[in-house]
Amino acid sequence: MQRHAHRDTRRQITRSRKATMRIHITYTGGTIGMVESPNGLIPGADMRGWLHRLITDAHLDPDLFSFTELDPLIDSSNATPDNWQAMIDDLHSHRDEADAFVVLHGTDTMSYSSAALSYALAGFGKPVIFTGSQHPLGKIESDATANVTGALNAAMSGRFHGVGLFFGHHLFAGNRVSKSSSWAFEGFSAPSTGPLARTGTPWHWYAGSALSGEGWKNPKPYTRHDVAVIDMAPGISAARLGAMLEPRPEAVLLRAYGVGNVPSDEPGLTDVIADVLHDGVPVVIASQCQQAEVLLGHYETGDAIARAGAIGSGDMTLEATYAKIMFLLSQGVDAADFGTWITRSIAGEISPSSL
Ligand code: ASP
């Protein structure tokens, strides 16, 4: 009896808090709001009207919701750091008038954007939840309603305060997640950490899901930088790798094998990487494994590049690593401090145990 009474009180509090929370929704584009055209899917659905119906059907007060439609709406395959910054600017401009935020975004690069925003908004102090859908909202079999209501629930839960991504019944930390399926409704996964919560009656929140990081004081806006993302593949030659690194980029993200191995028997290959480092260009080594802990020097094949100064990405996702490199370059962090910041957690994107 006692326990039930407590639970009921808690539910009432949760319900009344939800009923008065102010939510801002930033719509950036993506399949969720697309319609058929002779050239394939393009933005064009009545997102504002659809959201209004969704909110009133859920017995929420539409006056507590604000909405921005970014211009232009984009397929997220076209996103650049300029689009990340446009989202950040919109969230900042509504920070005082909302308690929680939902960002509607295409699935293709949603996990890059959610990671990028997690660094820039480490001190934001209010939940920001990304979501989108595999099918446009107008389709009968669409996952749009489930994903948007899930994102709203996560935003209003009072249990999550960073940048998250809700999709396919799961809430993830925005800097721990990757798009893992181009078609499944459960289209995202967090290979190193798992989800933070899953839906149900009630939602199940997993233990130890708090994001911890050092934050970043007064982040400068994102700007575009020349970062080379290169995959190792069996048979890659020094000449090919060298050609891909001319002219020199501002930083290199090399997707190596396993724990960060590159072919050490291929003549001159590791020398190419050492030369790039020698020229003052940071080289970050990630893994092609979805679930990885990069440990340079564990094998001889990773040792030479580690000695030359390459930096391992620990258990960060590719998206979190790439966005972090863009973030650090935008902050003006120089090559000498790059390694320190790549391996330190700004917003929970990396586990200390993975280094
Ligand atoms: N190409 C679309 C986008 O990322 C895919 C989607 O939204 O599902 O904008």
Side-chain angles (χ1 to χ4, degrees):
M1 259 331 253
Q2 191 64 23
R3 279 188 56 203
H4 280 128
H6 273 142
R7 208 192 290 155
D8 283 350
T9 321
R10 211 172 55 205
R11 282 201 182 142
Q12 272 160 18
I13 292 168
T14 311
R15 241 181 255 134
S16 58
R17 184 172 40 74
K18 279 187 182 174
T20 56
M21 273 184 92
R22 300 160 306 161
I23 308 290
H24 180 71
I25 301 177
T26 307
Y27 172 38
T28 70
T31 299
I32 189 164
M34 289 191 182
V35 292
E36 305 278 358
S37 85
N39 301 323
L41 289 170
I42 51 165
D46 173 18
M47 179 60 77
R48 191 187 285 270
W50 181 79
L51 282 170
H52 191 271
R53 284 192 296 280
L54 190 91
I55 289 161
T56 45
D57 286 353
H59 304 293
L60 293 166
D61 178 357
D63 290 343
L64 294 171
F65 285 76
S66 54
F67 177 75
T68 308
E69 181 169 306
L70 295 189
D71 184 21
L73 293 171
I74 58 164
D75 185 307
S76 78
S77 314
N78 287 318
T80 72
D82 296 336
N83 298 94
W84 302 343
Q85 192 54 43
M87 295 173 216
I88 293 163
D89 291 344
D90 185 60
L91 296 174
H92 272 302
S93 67
H94 291 89
R95 190 186 176 284
D96 294 339
E97 64 209 52
D99 303 305
F101 297 79
V102 169
V103 179
L104 303 178
H105 196 289
T107 60
D108 284 344
T109 67
M110 185 163 15
S111 45
Y112 288 88
S113 296
S114 57
L117 266 65
S118 78
Y119 308 130
L121 299 177
F124 195 63
K126 294 183 177 180
V128 177
I129 312 290
F130 278 75
T131 196
S133 63
Q134 297 279 33
H135 268 315
L137 56 84
K139 283 212 165 192
I140 190 82
E141 69 271 48
S142 179
D143 48 336
T145 302
N147 286 344
V148 173
T149 51
L152 289 171
N153 259 317
M156 296 192 287
S157 67
R159 300 193 57 161
F160 177 78
H161 297 284
V163 175
L165 186 155
F166 182 90
F167 208 89
H169 295 291
H170 292 93
L171 174 68
F172 304 94
N175 51 29
R176 293 295 203 157
V177 66
S178 294
K179 182 173 178 180
S180 47
S181 173
S182 65
W183 54 269
F185 288 153
E186 307 241 342
F188 286 82
S189 60
S192 291
T193 57
L196 301 173
R198 67 152 300 132
T199 61
T201 49
W203 277 36
H204 187 81
W205 291 81
Y206 298 103
S209 45
L211 310 177
S212 75
E214 300 178 29
W216 195 279
K217 271 213 177 90
N218 305 323
K220 298 192 183 82
Y222 274 104
T223 42
R224 286 179 81 156
H225 293 275
D226 180 14
V227 178
V229 182
I230 298 177
D231 261 301
M232 288 289 102
I236 188 169
S237 67
R240 171 49 58 214
L241 182 63
M244 289 199 272
L245 293 167
E246 288 293 348
R248 291 289 191 241
E250 289 173 78
V252 179
L253 173 51
L254 196 78
R255 298 186 71 223
Y257 307 125
V259 291
N261 301 319
V262 298
S264 55
D265 286 347
E266 185 64 30
L269 193 88
T270 51
D271 295 337
V272 171
I273 300 168
D275 288 349
V276 172
L277 285 157
H278 190 255
D279 289 346
V281 177
V283 176
V284 181
I285 308 292
S287 173
Q288 292 176 11
C289 298
Q290 277 226 333
Q291 190 178 52
E293 291 192 353
V294 175
L295 293 168
L296 296 182
H298 191 63
Y299 292 91
E300 193 231 319
T301 41
D303 186 54
I305 53 169
R307 276 189 284 111
I311 312 151
S313 63
D315 67 348
M316 283 190 287
T317 61
L318 170 72
E319 296 90 323
T321 312
Y322 180 77
K324 193 170 184 178
I325 292 172
M326 278 297 173
F327 180 74
L328 296 177
L329 290 171
S330 301
Q331 305 311 306
V333 170
D334 61 18
D337 290 333
F338 220 81
T340 314
W341 278 110
I342 283 289
T343 53
R344 264 156 79 171
S345 170
I346 297 173
E349 71 282 1
I350 190 167
S351 311
S353 60
S354 70
L355 295 165

